[in-house]
C-alpha cells in the first residue's frame, strides 16, 4: 500500500517549516529595509495589536510606530553594535488608538531586518529582587552540580516552577535520534513520560537542524489561527521569507496536531547543544494557552546553555576516566606481550585482551593461526567473518554493534557476537585481532507506538494519536563500542606493530648469521670470499640494526607529545580551566594533535624500504599559509614554555604535496628552532613569493650551524654537538626525515647560517 501513496505523504520530513509565511498571532512581525528602516513586509496581526492594517504600514518608515527619537537611537545602535548587544528592546508603539508597550527582538534574514513585537506582560511574575535571587540560585545549582541525574532533575523542576508550565521533560537523544526522557517535573494533573522513549520520526531531520540553530521555540496556543505575512514573499528576492530565526514563526500543522493529540495547548522547547551537535531538548507543556514573559524565557534559555556545557563536562570526564582505565590495562597487556617471543600466544595468555575492549570474547588471527579467548564463534565461523570484514573495509579498524544487519551469517552466533570490533595488524590481511560482545536483549518502553497514519481524504501523513506506553523487545544488538575503547585499541595496535617489526628484524638478523655460519664451514679455504661475505654480513646487520633503531626512536619521539596531551586532559578534568572557550580550545587542540600523531606513527611504521630513504607520497592541494598555522598549533605548548614567539608571514598559495608529510617537515624544523633559540626571541616562517618554485624558510635567532656541519646535519643521527642529545632532546633523525620527504616531493633542502647570528632552514618544492 505504501508504494502507491502520493509523494505528498512524505510532507512531515519535506514540509517547508522554515518558510511557512505565517506567524503566531500574539505578536507582530515587520520586515524592514535596513538602510532606511522602511517596512516591506508585515503580519496581518498588526491590525489587531497595532490598530493598523498591513496596507497602511507597507512602505512607511518604522518611525510611524516608534517615533523619530527612538528610530534615530535604533539607527545609531544598528551601525555601532551587534544585534546581540541591542536585543531585547522595550518599545512604546504609537498604535492607532493609544500607545502600548511591546518587547521586541531583531534578527536578519533574506537581506532584511526582522522585527518581532510581543505585548509586554503587564503584571510582573516576580519582584525584581526575587527574580534575581531565583535566577542566581538556579545558576549556582547548575555550576555546583557534581551528579548528572541530579542536574537534570533540578533543571526540570526549576524550569517548570519558574515558567509556569505543567510538565517539563529533559529529553536526550540516543545514537539513532530516539528521544529518551531522562528527567521530568510535572503537576499531578498531567500525564508523565519519565523513562519512556519517543521515536526519531517525531522530530524529522530538518526540525532537528532548526533546533540546533535556534535554541528556544515557543508556541502560545495550538488553537490560535496563524497570521499571514503581507506580501507573502520577500520583495527583495521574490521568495518566501526564511523565518528560521523568528521566535514567532508559526509551527508546522503536523506538529501542532501532534501536540493536540498529547493534550498540549502551549509548549516551549529549549535545545541542549554541545560540540555543535544537538544532544537533547527541554520540552515544556501546558494544557491551556500560556504566554511566557521574555525575561523568563531568557533565563531558561541561559540555564539550558549552561546545563549543556555541564553535560558536556560530565561526558568528557566520563570518557577521560574510561580512557585512563583502559590505558592502564593497555600498558599491562603491552608489558605481558613484550615478555614472550610468541606474540599471539602472549596476547591470549590472560583476560587483559578482553578487558582492553570490555569484550566477552576475542580471536587473534596470526599468519594462519587462530587463537580464541573467552566466548567466541568457532574457528570456521571466524574465518568466514574475517573474509567479510576484509572485503568490507581497507581501514585498520572495523566496528559494529549489530553485526547480523550487515553480515547475515552472524545471526547464527549473535548470542556471543552481536557486536564486533576488528583491528588489522600491518598492511595485509594475515594478522587481525577480533573482539566480540554478546547480544543484549532488551525491552524498550515507547511513549506510544510509532505508526504510519494516512488521511485518506488528503493522502497525507498524520501524527499518531496514542501516547500510551508500548513495549518492544530488541535482540541482535550489543553494547556500542565507545570512542575511548576504539582509541585505546588503536594505540595498542601501534605497540604491537613495534614488537612485530622488532621480531622480524631479529629473525632476519638470525637468518643472516645462520647463512654466514654455513658458508664459513663450507668455504674455510676461500679467505678472500669469506672476507667479502663478512663485509656484506656486517653491512646487512648494520643496516638491520639501523632500521630497527630508526623505527624505535622515531616511534618514541613521536609518541612523547601524547604524554603532554594527556596532561592537558588531566588539567581539564581537574576543573582548573573554567572558561568555556579555553576548555573548547584545549580539547580541540589535544584531539587534533592526537589524531595527527597517531596517524603519523602508523604511516611511519607501515613504510617499507625505509633503509632506501624513500617515502610514499600522495599529493593533493595544500594551502601553505594554513599548513604553517597548523604546525604552530602543534608546537605552541613548547614555544610558550620556552617564551618564544612564532610569526607566520607565508603568502597564501596552494601547491601540490602530501599535507601530512609537509606538516611533519614544518613541525620538525620549527621544533628544532625552538630548541636552539634564546628566550624572548622570535621564529619567522616565510616564503619566497617571487620565485616560481615555492621556497619555505624557518629563521631563528639561535647559535647557528658551523660550516662543517651544514651538509652532515641532514644525515641520520648527526647533531652539531653530542651534548645536544641529552640537553636539547631528540635522536638526530628529524632533519634526515625532512630531507627524505622533501626529496620525495622532487624538492631540495638546506641551511643558511652564521655562527652566533641564527639559522635559516629552507626547503624548495616543485610547482607540480
Amino acid at each position: 500500500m505504501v508504494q502507491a501513496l502520493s509523494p505528498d505523504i512524505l510532507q512531515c520530513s519535506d514540509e517547508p517549516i522554515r518558510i511557512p509565511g505565517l506567524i503566531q498571532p500574539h505578536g507582530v512581525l515587520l520586515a524592514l529595509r535596513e538602510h532606511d528602516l522602511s517596512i516591506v513586509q508585515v503580519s496581518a496581526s498588526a491590525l489587531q495589536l497595532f490598530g493598523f492594517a498591513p496596507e497602511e504600514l507597507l512602505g512607511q518608515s518604522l518611525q510611524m510606530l516608534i517615533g523619530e527619537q527612538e528610530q534615530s537611537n535604533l539607527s545609531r545602535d544598528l551601525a555601532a553594535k551587534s544585534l546581540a548587544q541591542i536585543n531585547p528592546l522595550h518599545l512604546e508603539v504609537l498604535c492607532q488608538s493609544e500607545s502600548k508597550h511591546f518587547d521586541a527582538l531583531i534578527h536578519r534574514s533574506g537581506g532584511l531586518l526582522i522585527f518581532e513585537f510581543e505585548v509586554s506582560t503587564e503584571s510582573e511574575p516576580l519582584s525584581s529582587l526575587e527574580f534575581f535571587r531565583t535566577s542566581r540560585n538556579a545558576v549556582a545549582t547548575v555550576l555546583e552540580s557534581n551528579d548528572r541525574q541530579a542536574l537534570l532533575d533540578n533543571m526540570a523542576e526549576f524550569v517548570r516552577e519558574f515558567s509556569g508550565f505543567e510538565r517539563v521533560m529533559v529529553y536526550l537523544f540516543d545514537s539513532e535520534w530516539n528521544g529518551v526522557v531522562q528527567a521530568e517535573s510535572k503537576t499531578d494533573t498531567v500525564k508523565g513520560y519519565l523513562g519512556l522513549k519517543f521515536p526519531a520520526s517525531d522530530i524529522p531531520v530538518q526540525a532537528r537542524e532548526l533546533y540546533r540553530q535556534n535554541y528556544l521555540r515557543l508556541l502560545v496556543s495550538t488553537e490560535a489561527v496563524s497570521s499571514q505575512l503581507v506580501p507573502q514573499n520577500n520583495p527583495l528576492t521574490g521568495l518566501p521569507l526564511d523565518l528560521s530565526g523568528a521566535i514567532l514563526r508559526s509551527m508546522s500543522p503536523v506538529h501542532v496536531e501532534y501536540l493536540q493529540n498529547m493534550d498540549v495547548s502551549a509548549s516551549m522547547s529549549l535545545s541542549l547543544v554541545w560540540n555543535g551537535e544537538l544532544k537533547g531538548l527541554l520540552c515544556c507543556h501546558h494544557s491551556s494557552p500560556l504566554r511566557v514573559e521574555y525575561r523568563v524565557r531568557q533565563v531558561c534559555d541561559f540555564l539550558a546553555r549552561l546545563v549543556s556545557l555541564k553535560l558536556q563536562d560530565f561526558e568528557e570526564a566520563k570518557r577521560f576516566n574510561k580512557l585512563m582505565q583502559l590505558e592502564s590495562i593497555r600498558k599491562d597487556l603491552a608489558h605481558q606481550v613484550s615478555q614472550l617471543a610468541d606474540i599471539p600466544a602472549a596476547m591470549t595468555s590472560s583476560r587483559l585482551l578482553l578487558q582492553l575492549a570490555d569484550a566477552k570474547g576475542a580471536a587473534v588471527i596470526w599468519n594462519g593461526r587462530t587463537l580464541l579467548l573467552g566466548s567466541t564463534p568457532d574457528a570456521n565461523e571466524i574465518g568466514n567473518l574475517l573474509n567479510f570484514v576484509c572485503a568490507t573495509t581497507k581501514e585498520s579498524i572495523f566496528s559494529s554493534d549489530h553485526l547480523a544487519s550487515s553480515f547475515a551469517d552472524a545471526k547464527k552466533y549473535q548470542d556471543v557476537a552481536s557486536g564486533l570490533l576488528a583491528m588489522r595488524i600491518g598492511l595485509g590481511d594475515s594478522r587481525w585481532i577480533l573482539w566480540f560482545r554478546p547480544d543484549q536483549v532488551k525491552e524498550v518502553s515507547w511513549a506510544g507506538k510509532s505508526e504510519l497514519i494516512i488521511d485518506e481524504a488528503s493522502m497525507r501523513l498524520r501524527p499518531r494519536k496514542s501516547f500510551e506506553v508500548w513495549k518492544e523487545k530488541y535482540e541482535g544488538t550489543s553494547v556500542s563500542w565507545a570512542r575511548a575503547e576504539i582509541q585505546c585499541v588503536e594505540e595498542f595496535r601501534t605497540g604491537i606493530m613495534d614488537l612485530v617489526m622488532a621480531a622480524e628484524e631479529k629473525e632476519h638478523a638470525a637468518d643472516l648469521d645462520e647463512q654466514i655460519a654455513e658458508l664459513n664451514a663450507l668455504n674455510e679455504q676461500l679467505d678472500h670470499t669469506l672476507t667479502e661475505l663478512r663485509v656484506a654480513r656486517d653491512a646487512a646487520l648494520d643496516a638491520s640494526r639501523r632500521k630497527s633503531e630508526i623505527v624505535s626512536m622515531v616511534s618514541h619521539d613521536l609518541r612523547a607529545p601524547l604524554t603532554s596531551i594527556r596532561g592537558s586532559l588531566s588539567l581539564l578534568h581537574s576543573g582548573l580551566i573554567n572558561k568555556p572557550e579555553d576548555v573548547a580550545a584545549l580539547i580541540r587542540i589535544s584531539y587534533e594533535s592526537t589524531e595527527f600523531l597517531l596517524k603519523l606513527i602508523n604511516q611511519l611504521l607501515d613504510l617499507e624500504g625505509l633503509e632506501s630513504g624513500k617515502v610514499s607520497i600522495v599529493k593533493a592541494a595544500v594551502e601553505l599559509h594554513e599548513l604553517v598555522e597548523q604546525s604552530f598549533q602543534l608546537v605552541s605548548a613548547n614555544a610558550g614554555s620556552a617564551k618564544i614567539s612564532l610569526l607566520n608571514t607565508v603568502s597564501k598559495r596552494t601547491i601540490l604535496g602530501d599535507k601530512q608529510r609537509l606538516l611533519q617537515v614544518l613541525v620538525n624544523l620549527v621544533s628544532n628552532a625552538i630548541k636552539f633559540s634564546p628566550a624572548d626571541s622570535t621564529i619567522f616562517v616565510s616564503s619566497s613569493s617571487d620565485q616560481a618554485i615555492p621556497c619555505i624558510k624557518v629563521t631563528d635567532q639561535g647559535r647557528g650551524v658551523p660550516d662543517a656541519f651544514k651538509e652532515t646535519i641532514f644525515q641520520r643521527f648527526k647533531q652539531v654537538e653530542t651534548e645536544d642529545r641529552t640537553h636539547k632532546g631528540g635522536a638526530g633523525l628529524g632533519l634526515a626525515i625532512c630531507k627524505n620527504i622533501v626529496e620525495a616531493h622532487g624538492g631540495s633542502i638546506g641551511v643558511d647560517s652564521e655562527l652566533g647570528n641564527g639559522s635559516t632552514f629552507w626547503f624548495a618544492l616543485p610547482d607540480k
Side-chain angles (χ1 to χ4, degrees):
M1 175 179 179
V2 175
Q3 293 178 347
L5 297 176
S6 162
D8 288 343
I9 289 287
L10 301 177
Q11 65 144 2
C12 190
S13 60
D14 296 336
E15 187 180 9
I17 59 177
R18 295 174 179 268
I19 51 171
L22 302 165
I23 69 163
Q24 298 177 56
H26 66 276
V28 177
L29 185 144
L30 301 178
L32 314 171
R33 296 182 189 272
E34 189 163 348
H35 71 277
D36 61 359
L37 298 183
S38 61
I39 302 170
V40 298
Q41 270 185 293
V42 58
S43 62
S45 54
L47 179 60
Q48 180 180 356
L49 295 179
F50 291 168
F52 293 105
E55 293 75 15
E56 296 179 85
L57 295 175
L58 289 173
Q60 299 294 326
S61 171
L62 183 64
Q63 177 179 324
M64 173 182 175
L65 295 172
I66 66 174
E68 181 180 358
Q69 184 59 50
E70 197 66 59
Q71 175 157 318
S72 176
N73 294 340
L74 177 61
S75 296
R76 184 187 64 246
D77 289 344
L78 287 171
K81 299 178 181 179
S82 68
L83 294 185
Q85 294 173 300
I86 297 174
N87 283 321
L89 294 168
H90 188 76
L91 298 172
E92 183 178 0
V93 175
L94 308 174
C95 299
Q96 186 77 277
S97 58
E98 59 178 339
S99 295
K100 296 180 183 178
H101 289 276
F102 286 82
D103 292 320
L105 293 173
I106 315 174
H107 71 279
R108 294 183 174 93
S109 178
L112 297 173
L113 197 64
I114 309 302
F115 254 86
E116 297 182 85
F117 291 85
E118 294 181 65
V119 178
S120 297
T121 305
E122 294 180 0
S123 59
E124 297 285 348
L126 297 167
S127 70
S128 296
L129 183 59
E130 185 179 354
F131 184 90
F132 168 75
R133 185 184 298 114
T134 302
S135 303
R136 182 196 61 190
N137 291 342
V139 170
T141 299
V142 171
L143 293 176
E144 295 168 4
S145 179
N146 292 317
D147 181 82
R148 182 178 183 272
Q149 187 58 48
L151 172 68
L152 299 179
D153 291 337
N154 290 336
M155 181 63 178
E157 184 72 15
F158 172 81
V159 171
R160 184 180 69 82
E161 293 182 354
F162 195 59
S163 65
F165 283 96
E166 295 169 331
R167 176 176 58 233
V168 174
M169 300 182 294
V170 183
Y171 177 101
L172 298 182
F173 295 115
D174 63 16
S175 60
E176 298 177 344
W177 294 105
N178 300 307
V180 185
V181 182
Q182 304 275 7
E184 182 180 59
S185 176
K186 69 180 191 68
T187 64
D188 295 335
T189 59
V190 295
K191 183 178 180 179
Y193 294 97
L194 183 62
L196 300 184
K197 268 193 175 186
F198 286 76
S201 57
D202 282 3
I203 307 180
V205 174
Q206 65 164 337
R208 291 200 297 267
E209 179 59 21
L210 274 182
Y211 281 126
R212 189 184 70 83
Q213 296 177 10
N214 196 349
Y215 285 18
L216 187 146
R217 294 293 301 125
L218 179 68
L219 177 64
V220 171
S221 173
T222 58
E223 301 297 331
V225 178
S226 296
S227 177
Q228 181 79 42
L229 294 185
V230 180
Q232 188 172 11
N233 289 341
N234 179 346
L236 297 187
T237 64
L239 301 173
L241 185 63
D242 188 340
L243 297 178
S244 299
I247 193 69
L248 291 174
R249 176 172 58 84
S250 181
M251 297 286 188
S252 155
V254 177
H255 181 63
V256 170
E257 185 178 354
Y258 174 90
L259 292 174
Q260 290 172 336
N261 292 345
M262 289 183 74
D263 297 322
V264 173
S265 181
S267 73
M268 182 172 72
S269 63
L270 299 161
S271 300
L272 298 175
V273 177
W274 62 86
N275 290 333
E277 297 180 14
L278 180 68
K279 299 290 187 175
L281 297 170
L282 266 79
C283 299
C284 310
H285 292 159
H286 207 69
S287 58
S288 60
L290 179 66
R291 280 197 57 198
V292 182
E293 184 192 8
Y294 176 78
R295 65 173 184 166
V296 172
R297 299 199 309 250
Q298 288 304 99
V299 169
C300 293
D301 181 35
F302 174 75
L303 284 177
R305 293 170 189 258
L306 200 59
V307 167
S308 294
L309 292 174
K310 197 70 177 179
L311 289 173
Q312 179 180 349
D313 287 345
F314 285 139
E315 184 179 272
E316 292 295 339
K318 180 180 178 182
R319 179 177 174 272
F320 177 80
N321 291 334
K322 178 71 171 178
L323 197 59
M324 291 301 98
Q325 176 189 1
L326 294 176
E327 179 64 11
S328 177
I329 296 171
R330 185 196 67 77
K331 288 180 179 178
D332 291 342
L333 179 58
H335 177 73
Q336 173 181 296
V337 174
S338 68
Q339 302 304 302
L340 296 177
D342 190 337
I343 293 176
M347 284 192 287
T348 55
S349 63
S350 76
R351 298 187 69 81
L352 286 174
L353 186 65
L354 300 182
Q355 295 171 14
L356 182 67
D358 195 13
K360 296 299 182 183
V364 178
I365 295 88
W366 204 270
N367 298 334
R369 298 167 61 193
T370 300
L371 289 79
L372 306 180
L373 180 65
S375 301
T376 70
D378 63 37
N380 289 332
E381 291 168 334
I382 287 175
N384 293 332
L385 174 59
L386 188 58
N387 290 336
F388 158 74
V389 173
C390 292
T392 300
T393 182
K394 296 302 179 184
E395 301 296 326
S396 58
I397 297 288
F398 172 86
S399 65
S400 172
D401 57 9
H402 190 190
L403 187 58
S405 65
S406 55
F407 183 57
D409 289 355
K411 187 171 181 61
K412 296 182 295 185
Y413 45 81
Q414 67 181 21
D415 56 328
V416 296
S418 284
L420 169 68
L421 177 58
M423 182 174 71
R424 177 188 276 111
I425 307 296
L427 293 177
D429 290 329
S430 61
R431 299 185 184 122
W432 285 83
I433 303 176
L434 309 181
W435 287 273
F436 303 103
R437 282 181 177 170
D439 185 14
Q440 186 186 40
V441 179
K442 58 184 178 181
E443 186 176 73
V444 175
S445 296
W446 296 93
K449 183 177 181 180
S450 179
E451 54 186 344
L452 189 68
I453 301 177
I454 315 285
D455 186 327
E456 294 184 359
S458 63
M459 294 301 288
R460 289 178 175 268
L461 284 176
R462 301 291 297 274
R464 69 179 191 275
K465 297 181 180 297
S466 173
F467 291 86
E468 295 301 320
V469 176
W470 181 68
K471 296 182 181 294
E472 189 171 18
K473 186 177 180 181
Y474 290 86
E475 59 181 24
T477 302
S478 73
V479 175
S480 297
W481 303 97
R483 187 158 55 110
E485 292 161 347
I486 294 176
Q487 181 177 336
C488 206
V489 300
E490 284 181 324
E491 191 168 347
F492 178 64
R493 175 180 182 266
T494 300
I496 291 298
M497 290 175 66
D498 279 349
L499 292 174
V500 169
M501 185 166 290
E504 289 177 345
E505 294 300 330
K506 185 176 180 180
E507 182 180 350
H508 180 59
D511 288 344
L512 283 174
D513 281 339
E514 183 178 350
Q515 293 171 20
I516 292 173
E518 292 175 356
L519 288 173
N520 284 337
L522 294 172
N523 300 282
E524 291 181 358
Q525 305 302 319
L526 302 176
D527 293 337
H528 180 70
T529 304
L530 282 174
T531 299
E532 292 182 344
L533 287 174
R534 287 192 185 99
V535 171
R537 179 198 64 184
D538 292 341
L541 290 175
D542 180 68
S544 179
R545 284 192 299 271
R546 196 157 51 114
K547 179 178 177 181
S548 297
E549 186 176 10
I550 288 173
V551 172
S552 176
M553 295 183 73
V554 171
S555 296
H556 176 271
D557 289 343
L558 289 176
R559 252 195 233 105
L562 289 175
T563 303
S564 174
I565 292 168
R566 188 175 296 119
S568 297
L569 292 177
S570 297
L571 184 60
L572 287 172
H573 182 55
S574 70
L576 296 176
I577 304 301
N578 296 317
K579 293 183 178 180
E581 62 269 25
D582 292 342
V583 172
L586 282 175
I587 291 174
R588 183 181 70 254
I589 291 172
S590 297
Y591 177 80
E592 291 177 353
S593 299
T594 303
E595 288 293 303
F596 165 75
L597 290 174
L598 287 175
K599 184 173 182 180
L600 198 51
I601 289 172
N602 288 335
Q603 287 177 339
L604 285 173
L605 293 175
D606 289 341
L607 289 176
E608 294 182 4
L610 189 59
E611 66 277 3
S612 67
K614 295 181 180 179
V615 295
S616 176
I617 298 297
V618 179
K619 290 188 177 182
V622 179
E623 209 291 305
L624 284 179
H625 187 85
E626 293 179 359
L627 192 70
V628 173
E629 286 299 317
Q630 190 173 355
S631 73
F632 281 2
Q633 281 192 348
L634 296 174
V635 301
S636 60
N638 289 341
S641 63
K643 297 182 180 179
I644 291 174
S645 301
L646 304 176
L647 182 62
N648 177 8
T649 63
V650 172
S651 59
K652 292 189 176 181
R653 179 172 181 174
T654 300
I655 64 167
L656 285 178
D658 188 319
K659 182 177 181 181
Q660 291 298 325
R661 298 297 186 187
L662 294 179
L663 183 59
Q664 185 181 359
V665 171
L666 277 169
V667 168
N668 263 310
L669 295 181
V670 177
S671 295
N672 279 350
I674 292 171
K675 287 181 185 178
F676 298 101
S677 292
D680 300 318
S681 64
T682 301
I683 294 172
F684 301 86
V685 180
S686 60
S687 63
S688 299
S689 58
D690 57 341
Q691 296 182 9
I693 298 178
C695 183
I696 297 89
K697 301 177 181 180
V698 178
T699 302
D700 62 47
Q701 298 170 333
R703 70 191 184 195
V705 178
D707 291 340
F709 287 90
K710 288 182 180 178
E711 292 297 331
T712 61
I713 199 171
F714 291 96
Q715 298 177 9
R716 295 182 178 90
F717 309 113
K718 296 295 184 180
Q719 294 181 317
V720 173
E721 296 180 13
T722 55
E723 291 83 5
D724 287 346
R725 182 181 298 275
T726 301
H727 297 154
K728 299 294 185 180
L733 291 172
L735 291 178
I737 292 174
C738 291
K739 185 173 185 292
N740 285 337
I741 293 173
V742 171
E743 290 180 349
H745 279 77
S748 58
I749 189 168
V751 59
D752 299 322
S753 181
E754 182 179 347
L755 278 179
N757 290 320
S759 304
T760 296
F761 283 83
W762 57 265
F763 60 96
L765 301 173
D767 204 32
K768 296 181 178 180

